[in-house]
């Protein structure tokens, strides 16, 4: 690094000088840090880095043994060199790679290094005198001058020429970019390009350019003119025009001046206000505010003296502001400022004060305004207006009524305990009679509440929480103490008894269901018992439902109803009014029947099964008398239906089929076990667990079936290859999203689905050529005439939108102009 | 949908709105305006120097004129059609607005979300396409108003049920031509008749069990052909035009022309019980006593598919007009859905606890009505395969038919009952009833007519059912007043537009979907071949910024801004919805509270 800086002087014997230089440097390091630092900074700043500098130094100092007689001279030179380092121009010197005593004739020899005169030395005296600058320059030039370069090779010149030409042409071509882009974007191109179609002028334009020519027209227009009727411009009636004329110039001028003044004033005030608002000083604002307040007070005082009515109004206004403030949460210590103050308040007195102030203000604001009324007593009438129990509610936890505490639905046990602990003092405090009275009132309320509570509980328990209340019950019974509580507990007990009963009942239901399944099996075995009844009813579906219905409480009713139904169907033409309810019943029946297969495989059948839909009887004024021939063939319908339902269970079969299909579609495990390997082989032997684990590869679970939630449906999930052959299986070019492509072809474009115009637009060809016309390449004139006016595709389907687009395009430009102005 | 309405509204109020805006910008309200109480506009155009009266005045006048001209020009540009010579203003400028509900009717599928499209070119293309689609929708809605005919239904007087009205009464009350549409053909020799109307409702085909086959132009009551095939006839069906019909006879399937000449005897189709013709596919679907479902392409005379359903005798069949799927009813209470491309049923649903006796599918392919031996009539939503309503019909229904307007005819024994809106809500009573002397054997509503054709043991009855037919026919689709030439042209066109049987799927829109599985597979192969994923989303690389704004922290921040954009949108939307829902709930609660406030409410927690 140093060598480079030094320039040609040191170039003579670079090595040695270097060494000495570093020795010197080392000495300096020893001298003192401060000096070194001050000297080194510029050097280091120039250099690549400190590291290599120090490394070099080490090397040199280690190998240095030559330091001889000419030390001083060299030292001086070095100093000079270093001083010259500050110079602005430093030349890089070619690095010397080989070490030799004799340097080639083109370079410089190392001998007689000190004797040679150098340009730098010559230039030194020149430096201060500015008049010799030109000479210096010349010398500098001389120094840098080289031999004249050879002319470039043919290839190179050609390449350069090509480059330049390319740049030029590309520049020339870029102006076409927009045109090309526009044409590419255009929905339709009509060739030859610059055709002028039959331009349709807007009718108004035609009308406004129209002139009266025939005598009749002229006459009419004369009359119109005479009557001062507006002919072309309906905006200004003659009266208006007259009024416009009537205004004198002076007046107008005056008015204009006024306006100008006002405008100026306004802008002035606005700017002032803005300036003030922008001042950040809090003190300033505080002072300003206080000043304003004072002013307002003064004004108010004056007003009161002069105009009491206005003062009153003012007062009302103030009151209103107070109300507003009261409504808002401005002084509730919830703001940002207040929160910060709360934190500070511990340590800062002022902050505490400020907080207190605000609190006071808040109190002041939120305090209910005392209405100055005729009566002096304020408390009583107020209390009178409000019903008692409201006050009691406000008393909250101390109050005797735990129900009022607002913890109704939650643990009754706790509230009871609370009541226990809190009631004795209340009783002690108040007289017994009053307490009793209260109790009566309360008990009424309580009754209501309890009823509510009961209903709520019942609802909850019906949902299936039987266990909890029992626990509660036991907890409750322990803590019966006071009378009220006793009463309540009794009620609770009752309630819980009821609940327990319910629970038992539900359990019973479960049991009965279990029973029912067994009975079902029985019924399958001997289907006669029930069916005889149903035969009478002539309703075959019930035959199947028979055993089920047995378990129901309302079985008899359903059968009755069925009988009714059958009677209605076959005999009566009119229906009993109670039909809908019965139908509901029927639906419940059906639900039950659907539950039957549900038990057997819960996965398959949802509660929302198919056969649960209400079946409604459609009645008709005419009933069939003759039976179809088909029916004749299947003469005894009843028998046939019984056959159908006795032997084959349609639903069962269907479910079985569905199960089979599901199993078939499930991915199968891969079994890699070899029988007999590592264990005993033979028939009837089970695979060991270890082997099973290791050699049976479990398949991934199948994706959910489409008919998962449709118990009565089997949907085939096999792929339809025939259609797949016609489907698109690669996304066409500009699309990279399936949905986009599908969305783009979702609408039909044929005439069957569209109107003629829409069809033409949807199927308009991209390029239209006119027959018998030569299509010439686009000329510069055409393209840029157009673009200078407005770049427009050759054909626009939606001119309105294009206008909007153009307007949008213009907007940002305007903005930039504004920015420039700003 | 609201967005659809917008453009027209803009077009309406656009120019006026602009003018208002201009005015507003001119005179901003200042606080002194109230005090001066003068029109600032009148003073504004006055000249600056009043003392240079004449010359200045002229200048001013000129200026004013120029200004006026400019204004006028601007107005013309802004509001074409606003300024007439008479000075009147068009009170309803622009095209008439289309009610958004009507536009909604023509909505097809989901719009692609343009905000998610990153490719600018694609975005542009999609926006232009979307605008076209919007226009098409609006146009369609606009043209929908032009449909001239309105469908009306029979309405009884107070206390009178429509189902008690007799056919004779109706026939007497209506005009002569309509009245003539109620008639009976007494054909008591050749047993119960099957019925079929041609697609345009002009021609009627009757097939008696005992071999009597007749084709009639039923409006003019002209017999086109009549014969006895000397074999039992199970079913008959018109093919694509009234020039050909298929007859399922005792042994084989026969095809005759309109003169009764036997064209083909298709021996591949034996023991056929029911026939269905799929008009767009030119397929004749048959189901046989041997449990085979077969498809015959009548345009090329080839059997397209023969599927063994393995479920016994098949005598209940219906086609879904929406997707050309064949529904079969079985004796084990199931209904199965078939396409010719799969050997197994697409869907199998358990509908009844006894055998299925009849099936009918609504025109839109949304509802299916089934009747079983358990005397139940069920209405299903076939999109979700869920039952909507279950009815108990006295005697059970042996035949079902949906009309074009959604009326359901159910024949039980010798009584035909027509129900209105049975798929929407349970009706209290049938819309119409008609009792015949003998059991019904065939039932079909006549397309584009308010007529229900009933084939029964004693011949044929044409019953008047007001409001049954589609009031507005599309003459390009099927024209009741077709001439011979038109029919020939239509035939050629229809053959050219024939839909291949491979395209029959449960969801006919499936063709518009991308075959996702194949696409994925192909893509994976490509990735393997190339060694990288060409479609992978480019990772967001924040731009390098100078002056220390590309610090790692800043980079991270910028990356975070972009991360999970899609998810964020979803979450944002979900949150918004939730908030709205909550707000709504709160409001409803509030109103509820307002409604029932009793003295006991204070005890509520």
């Amino acid at each position: 690094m140093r060598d480079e800086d030094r320039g040609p002087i040191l170039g003579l014997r670079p090595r040695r000088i270097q060494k000495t230089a570093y020795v010197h440097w080392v000495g300096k390091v020893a001298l003192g840090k401060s000096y070194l630092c001050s000297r080194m900074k510029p050097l280091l700043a120039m250099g690549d880095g400190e590291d290599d500098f120090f490394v070099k130094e080490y090397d040199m100092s280690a190998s240095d043994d030559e330091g001889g007689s000419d030390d001083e001279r060299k030292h001086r030179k070095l100093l000079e060199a270093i001083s010259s380092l500050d110079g602005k121009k430093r030349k890089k010197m070619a690095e010397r790679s080989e070490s030799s005593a004799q340097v080639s004739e083109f370079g410089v020899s190392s001998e007689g290094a000190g004797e040679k005169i150098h340009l730098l030395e010559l230039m030194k005296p020149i430096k201060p005198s500015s008049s010799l600058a030109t000479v210096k320059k010349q010398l500098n030039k001389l120094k840098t001058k080289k031999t004249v370069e050879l002319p470039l090779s043919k290839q190179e010149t050609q390449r350069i020429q090509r480059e330049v030409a390319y740049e030029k042409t590309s520049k020339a071509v870029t102006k076409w970019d927009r045109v090309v882009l526009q044409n590419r974007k255009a929905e339709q191109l009509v060739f030859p390009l610059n055709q002028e179609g039959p331009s349709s002028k807007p009718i108004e334009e035609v009308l406004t350019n129209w002139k009266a020519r025939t005598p009749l027209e002229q006459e009419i227009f004369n009359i119109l003119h005479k009557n001062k009727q507006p002919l072309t411009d309906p905006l200004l009636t003659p009266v208006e025009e007259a009024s416009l004329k009537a205004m004198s110039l002076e007046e107008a001028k005056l008015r204009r001046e006024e306006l100008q003044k006002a405008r100026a004033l306004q802008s002035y005030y606005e700017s002032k206000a803005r300036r003030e608002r922008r001042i950040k000083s809090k003190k300033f604002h505080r002072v300003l505010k206080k000043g304003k307040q004072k002013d307002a007070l003064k004004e108010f005082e004056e007003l009161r003296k002069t105009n009491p009515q206005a003062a009153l109004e003012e007062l009302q206004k103030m009151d209103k502001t107070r109300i507003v403030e009261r409504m808002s949460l401005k002084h509730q210590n919830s703001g940002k400022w207040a929160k910060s103050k709360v934190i500070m308040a511990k340590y800062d007195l002022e902050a505490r004060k400020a907080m207190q102030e605000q609190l006071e203000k808040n109190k002041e604001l939120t305090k209910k305004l005392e209405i100055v009324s005729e009566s002096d007593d304020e408390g009583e009438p107020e209390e009178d207006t409000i019903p008692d129990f409201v006050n009691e509610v406000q008393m909250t936890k101390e109050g005797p009524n735990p129900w009022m505490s607002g913890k109704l639905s939650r643990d009754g046990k706790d509230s009871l305990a609370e009541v226990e602990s809190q009631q004795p003092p209340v009783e002690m405090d108040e007289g017994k009679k009053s307490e009793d009275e209260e109790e009566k009132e309360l008990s009424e309320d309580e009754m209501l509440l309890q009823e509510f509570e009961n209903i709520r509980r019942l609802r909850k328990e019906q949902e299936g929480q039987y266990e909890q209340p029992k626990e509660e019950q036991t907890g409750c019974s322990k803590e019966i103490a006071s009378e009220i509580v006793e009463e309540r507990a009794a009620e609770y007990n009752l309630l819980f008894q009821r609940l327990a009963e319910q629970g038992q009942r539900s359990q019973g239901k479960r049991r009965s269901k279990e029973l029912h399944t067994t009975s079902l099996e029985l019924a399958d075995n001997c289907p006669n018992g029930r069916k005889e009844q149903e035969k009478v009813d002539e309703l075959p579906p019930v035959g199947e439902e028979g055993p089920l219905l047995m378990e129901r409480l309302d079985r008899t009713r359903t059968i009755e109803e069925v009988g009714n139904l059958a009677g209605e169907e076959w005999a009566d033409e009119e229906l009993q009014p109670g039909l809908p309810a019965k139908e509901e019943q029927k639906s419940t029946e059906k639900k039950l029947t659907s539950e039957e297969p549900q038990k057997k495989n819960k996965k398959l059948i949802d509660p929302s099964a198919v056969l649960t839909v209400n079946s409604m009887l459609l009645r008709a004024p005419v009933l069939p008398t003759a039976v179809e021939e088909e029916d004749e063939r299947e003469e005894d319908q009843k028998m046939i239906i019984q056959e159908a339902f006795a032997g084959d269970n349609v639903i069962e079969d269907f479910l079985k089929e569905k199960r089979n299909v599901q199993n078939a579609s499930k991915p199968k495990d891969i079994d890699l076990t070899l029988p007999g390997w590592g264990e005993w082989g033979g028939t009837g032997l089970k695979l060991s667990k270890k082997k099973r684990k290791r050699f049976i590869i479990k398949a991934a679970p199948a994706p959910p079936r489409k008919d998962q939630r449709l118990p009565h449906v089997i949907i085939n999930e096999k792929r339809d290859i025939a259609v797949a052959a016609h489907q698109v299986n690669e996304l066409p070019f500009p699309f990279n999203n399936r949905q986009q492509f599908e969305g783009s072809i979702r609408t039909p474009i044929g005439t069957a689905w569209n109107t003629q115009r829409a069809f033409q637009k949807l199927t308009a060809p991209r390029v239209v050529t006119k027959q018998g016309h030569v299509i010439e390449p686009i000329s510069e004139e055409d393209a840029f005439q157009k673009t200078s006016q407005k770049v427009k595709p050759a054909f626009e389907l939606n001119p309105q939108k294009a206008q909007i687009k153009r307007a949008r395009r213009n907007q940002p430009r305007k903005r930039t102009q504004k920015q420039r102005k700003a | 949908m609201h967005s659809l309405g917008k453009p027209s509204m803009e077009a309406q109020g656009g120019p006026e709105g602009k003018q208002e805006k201009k005015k507003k910008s001119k005179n901003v309200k200042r606080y002194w305006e109230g005090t001066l109480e003068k029109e600032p506009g009148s003073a504004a155009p006055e000249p600056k120097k009043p003392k240079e009266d004449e010359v200045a005045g002229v200048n001013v006048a000129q200026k004013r004129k120029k200004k006026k001209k400019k204004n006028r020009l601007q107005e013309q540009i802004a509001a074409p059609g606003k300024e007439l010579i008479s000075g009147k203003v068009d009170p309803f400028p622009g095209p008439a607005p289309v009610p958004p509900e009507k536009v909604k009717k023509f909505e097809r599928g989901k719009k692609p979300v343009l905000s998610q499209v990153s490719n600018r070119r694609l975005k542009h293309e999609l926006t232009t396409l979307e605008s076209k689609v919007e226009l098409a929708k609006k146009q369609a809605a606009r043209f929908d108003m032009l449909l001239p005919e309105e469908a009306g239904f029979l309405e009884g007087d107070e206390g009178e049920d429509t189902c008690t009205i007799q056919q004779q009464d109706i026939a007497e009350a209506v005009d002569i031509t309509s009245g003539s549409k109620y008639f009976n053909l007494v054909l008591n020799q050749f047993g119960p008749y099957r019925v079929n109307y041609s697609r345009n409702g002009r021609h009627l085909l009757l097939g008696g069990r005992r071999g009597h086959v007749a084709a009639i132009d039923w409006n003019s009551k002209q017999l086109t052909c009549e014969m006895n095939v000397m074999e039992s006839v199970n079913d008959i069906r018109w093919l694509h035009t009234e020039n050909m019909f298929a007859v399922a006879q005792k042994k084989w399937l026969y095809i005759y022309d309109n003169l009764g000449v036997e064209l083909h005897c298709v021996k591949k189709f034996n023991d056929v019980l029911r026939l269905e013709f799929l008009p767009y596919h030119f397929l004749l679907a048959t189901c046989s006593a041997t449990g085979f479902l077969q498809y015959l392409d009548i345009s090329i005379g080839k059997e397209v598919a023969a599927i063994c359903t393995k479920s016994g005798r098949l005598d209940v069949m219906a086609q879904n007009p929406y997707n050309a799927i064949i529904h079969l009813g079985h004796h084990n209470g199931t209904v199965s859905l078939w396409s010719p491309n799969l050997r197994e049923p697409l869907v199998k649903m358990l509908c009844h606890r006894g055998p299925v006796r009849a099936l009918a599918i609504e025109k839109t392919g949304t509802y299916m009505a089934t009747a079983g031996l358990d005397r139940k009539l069920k209405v299903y939503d076939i999109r979700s395969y869920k039952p909507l309503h279950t009815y108990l019909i006295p005697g059970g229904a042996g035949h079902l038919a949906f009309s074009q307007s959604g009326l359901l005819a159910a024949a039980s024994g010798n009584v035909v009952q027509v129900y209105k809106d049975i798929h929407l809500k349970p009706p209290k009573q049938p819309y119409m009833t008609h009792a015949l002397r003998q059991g019904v054997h065939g039932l079909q509503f006549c397309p584009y007519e308010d007529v229900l054709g009933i084939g029964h043991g004693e011949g044929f009855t044409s019953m008047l059912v007001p409001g049954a037919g589609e009031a507005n026919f599309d003459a390009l689709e099927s024209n009741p007043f077709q001439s011979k030439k038109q029919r020939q042209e239509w035939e050629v066109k229809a053959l050219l537009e024939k839909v291949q049987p491979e395209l029959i799927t449960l969801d006919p829109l499936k063709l518009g979907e991308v075959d996702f599985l194949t696409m994925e597979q192909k893509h994976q192969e490509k990735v393997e071949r190339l060694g990288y994923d060409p479609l992978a989303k480019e990772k967001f690389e924040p731009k390098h910024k100078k002056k220390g704004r590309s610090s790692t922290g800043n980079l991270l921040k910028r990356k975070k801004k972009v991360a999970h954009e899609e998810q964020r949108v979803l979450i944002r939307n979900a949150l918004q919805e939730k908030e709205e829902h909550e707000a709504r709930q709160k409001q409803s609660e509030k109103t509820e509270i307002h409604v029932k406030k009793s003295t006991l409410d204070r005890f509520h927690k």
Side-chain angles (χ1 to χ4, degrees), chain B residues 433-454:
Chain B
T433 50
H434 187 60
L436 301 148
R437 275 200 214 151
Q438 288 210 4
V440 177
H441 192 61
L443 204 62
Q444 199 194 349
F445 279 99
C446 179
Y448 308 108
E449 292 281 357
D450 291 347
V451 163
L452 172 66
I454 307 162

Side-chain angles (χ1 to χ4, degrees), chain B residues 349-364:
Chain B
M349 46 202 293
L350 183 65
C351 293
H352 290 277
R353 319 191 73 193
V356 179
R357 284 177 76 194
L359 260 179
I361 295 151
E362 202 227 351
K363 183 181 69 175
T364 57

Side-chain angles (χ1 to χ4, degrees), chain A residues 796-808, chain B residues 7 127-128 130-132 134:
Chain A
E796 266 178 5
L797 281 178
N798 218 342
Q800 273 192 347
K801 273 200 175 173
Q803 270 184 6
I804 294 162
K805 264 189 192 170
R806 243 169 269 143
R808 267 187 210 152
Chain B
T127 41
T128 49
E130 244 359 85
S131 69
K132 280 182 200 165
E134 289 288 294

Side-chain angles (χ1 to χ4, degrees), chain B residues 395-410:
Chain B
H399 297 274
L400 294 174
F402 264 113
S403 86
Q404 284 177 324
S405 62
L407 299 179
L408 178 71

